[in-house]
Amino acid sequence: MRTWKEVKKDLLKDPEFAREVENLRPEYELISQIIQLRIEQKITQEELAKRTGIKQSNISRLESGSYNPSLQFLKKIAKGLGKDLSISFK
C-alpha cells in the first residue's frame, strides 16, 4: 500500500494539479492556523462557537475547507481565539 506522501508526490508531477494546489495554499494555510490555535488553546469547535457567536457547524465547515468565510467571519474567529486578524498582499 502506498503512503499519502507517495501519492501526493506523484500527483504533484501533473502541472495542472500542482497549479491548483498552489492556488489553494492561502486558504489551507489559514485553516491550518485556526485549527492549530484552537488545539493549542485546548478548546473544541463548540467552545469556539460559544466565544464567537458562530454556529459550530460553520466552524466545522471552515476547518474542513468547504466554507469560504467572509472577512467579518474571520474577525470573529480571530477575536474568539484572542488574536488579531492581519491580512496582507505579498
Side-chain angles (χ1 to χ4, degrees), residues 9-76:
K9 183 178 178 181
D10 285 343
L11 289 171
L12 288 172
K13 290 177 184 176
D14 176 354
E16 187 176 339
F17 182 85
R19 194 170 31 258
E20 285 303 313
V21 168
E22 188 59 33
N23 286 339
L24 291 171
R25 184 179 307 280
E27 287 91 336
Y28 286 107
E29 285 179 357
L30 178 64
I31 291 167
S32 293
Q33 287 179 28
I34 291 169
I35 293 169
Q36 185 62 38
L37 287 167
R38 189 173 58 72
I39 290 170
E40 286 173 2
Q41 294 180 26
K42 296 181 173 85
I43 61 172
T44 63
Q45 290 179 349
E46 186 64 37
E47 176 60 29
L48 184 56
K50 289 176 186 175
R51 291 182 183 188
T52 61
I54 295 171
K55 291 181 180 181
Q56 180 274 329
S57 60
N58 289 341
I59 293 171
S60 176
R61 287 179 27 220
L62 170 70
E63 289 187 1
S64 72
S66 63
Y67 182 70
N68 189 9
S70 67
L71 186 55
Q72 193 63 29
F73 184 96
L74 293 175
K75 286 179 183 179
K76 288 179 182 180

